[in-house]
Amino acid sequence: MSNSYLIREKLLANKNIVQITAGFENGKPLALDNQGNILKYDRTQWIKHIGQARYITSIQGAFFMLEHKTGLLYQWKNGNWLKKDTNHEVDRIYAGSESTLVGVNTKLGMLYKWHNEDWVEVPKGFEGDVNSAGVNSNGDMWVATRGGHVFRFQELSGQWTFVLNVSY
């Protein structure tokens, strides 16, 4: 591989970053560009890393990605992306606190929490498409919908609460 190719790849990688997660190897961030390339920060610039993804995220130092074409879940371990065998398909992933990963299947309208190396369904108690989701330190799942609504699922009670209708 020529030096001019590497320089060109580094320059291209500096554009169109759509997602970022911190604390990868030696505290450096990972990013995702608008073409699904996984990028890592190297001293002063972004360079291509192994793989392509739809989403990347991290929870307590563990890095996850949804593979670009298949949507399969992978975790970064020992210098490679290792496929996780799961019973449910998701097309989006979000990080929560307390090492909780949230998965969304937008086609089926399903929500999942990562538990014991697999997705566990969370009963959806609202209408609308999920725009973003996370879990706080109490184990409550917070969900923002494309319609500007925010909902909270309290795991202890098993109840959803409408929290906010966002309008500007």
Side-chain angles (χ1 to χ4, degrees):
M1 193 176 306
S2 71
N3 281 341
S4 63
Y5 176 78
L6 288 175
I7 291 169
R8 184 177 69 81
E9 287 297 309
K10 288 179 182 180
L11 290 173
L12 288 174
N14 282 322
K15 300 179 181 175
N16 302 312
I17 292 177
V18 296
Q19 190 180 356
I20 193 163
T21 187
F24 190 54
E25 295 171 338
N26 300 318
K28 296 178 181 176
L30 273 185
L32 194 62
D33 72 12
N34 64 351
Q35 296 177 353
N37 297 307
I38 298 174
L39 314 169
K40 74 175 182 178
Y41 193 71
D42 184 31
R43 296 186 197 133
T44 60
Q45 55 197 334
W46 294 98
I47 59 171
K48 279 190 179 181
H49 189 55
I50 302 168
Q52 284 197 306
R54 293 179 190 175
Y55 284 86
I56 57 172
T57 196
S58 66
I59 49 174
Q60 294 188 338
F63 286 81
F64 294 87
M65 75 143 172
L66 285 181
E67 200 271 333
H68 186 66
K69 293 180 182 171
T70 64
L72 295 173
L73 183 68
Y74 287 77
Q75 184 175 4
W76 182 257
K77 281 194 177 179
N78 303 320
N80 287 302
W81 289 108
L82 301 176
K83 181 179 164 244
K84 306 297 274 184
D85 292 320
T86 63
N87 291 323
H88 300 285
E89 184 179 316
V90 299
D91 52 16
R92 292 189 190 158
I93 53 174
Y94 303 99
S97 65
E98 302 300 314
S99 69
T100 303
L101 189 64
V102 176
V104 179
N105 181 319
T106 57
K107 294 173 192 149
L108 299 175
M110 304 296 288
L111 285 170
Y112 303 96
K113 282 175 73 173
W114 187 249
H115 182 72
N116 291 334
E117 297 293 308
D118 203 356
W119 294 115
V120 176
E121 184 179 340
V122 175
K124 189 174 161 191
F126 59 89
E127 294 294 320
D129 294 332
V130 174
N131 190 44
S132 184
V135 177
N136 68 16
S137 60
N138 295 330
D140 297 345
M141 180 182 289
W142 291 79
V143 175
T145 66
R146 293 201 188 283
H149 298 95
V150 176
F151 296 90
R152 180 179 68 193
F153 178 72
Q154 293 176 296
E155 192 164 29
L156 290 176
S157 68
Q159 299 294 312
W160 282 97
T161 306
F162 173 74
V163 179
L164 180 65
N165 184 9
V166 180
S167 60
Y168 297 94

